[in-house]
Amino acid sequence: MALDDILTGVVLDEVALTLEDLARACAVEPQWIVERVEAGLLGSVSLKSVEWRFFSADLARARRLAALERDFDANQELAALVVDLIEEVGRLRARRKAAGLAVD
């Protein structure tokens, strides 16, 4: 996939991406997305769905997964674990901020 084929822009939660849109936005092949969805590492879509739809959280997660796999030569399970930890840290920081505690 060429770099000039990468989809860029702002994704809103109300806007759903197709499999092909998500693959383009992450600079990966659609099969890469399918493999991660089937492994339970990406997306909250039903595997029985004829036309999968992905949202902004899926886009952010897929981009992190792809970057970790590419940059650190991580396997998909290790990349998913790291992304889970990154997301958990983000949730904990948001809770601390909401509670009025200092965020490091």
Side-chain angles (χ1 to χ4, degrees):
M1 180 168 287
L3 288 178
D4 57 347
D5 292 339
I6 297 173
L7 180 66
T8 59
V10 176
V11 179
L12 303 174
D13 283 330
E14 298 83 26
V15 178
L17 297 171
T18 65
L19 172 66
E20 291 76 20
D21 291 338
L22 183 61
R24 253 193 327 270
C26 296
V28 297
E29 295 298 323
Q31 185 59 33
W32 185 92
I33 301 292
V34 170
E35 290 169 2
R36 273 111 194 115
V37 169
E38 289 176 346
L41 307 176
L42 178 64
S44 55
V45 295
S46 167
L47 293 178
K48 297 177 184 177
S49 177
V50 175
E51 184 68 25
W52 288 346
R53 296 290 181 204
F54 300 92
F55 299 95
S56 59
D58 300 315
L59 173 59
R61 183 172 177 85
R63 283 184 170 170
R64 283 186 180 125
L65 286 170
L68 287 165
E69 289 179 30
R70 180 188 61 245
D71 297 345
F72 297 101
D73 197 27
N75 66 35
Q76 63 183 9
E77 292 84 9
L78 178 59
L81 175 62
V82 172
V83 171
D84 287 345
L85 293 172
I86 291 169
E87 290 170 349
E88 181 64 18
V89 167
R91 283 190 293 272
L92 291 171
R93 284 184 175 158
R95 287 180 61 192
R96 285 181 56 108
K97 185 177 181 181
L101 301 172
V103 179
D104 299 333

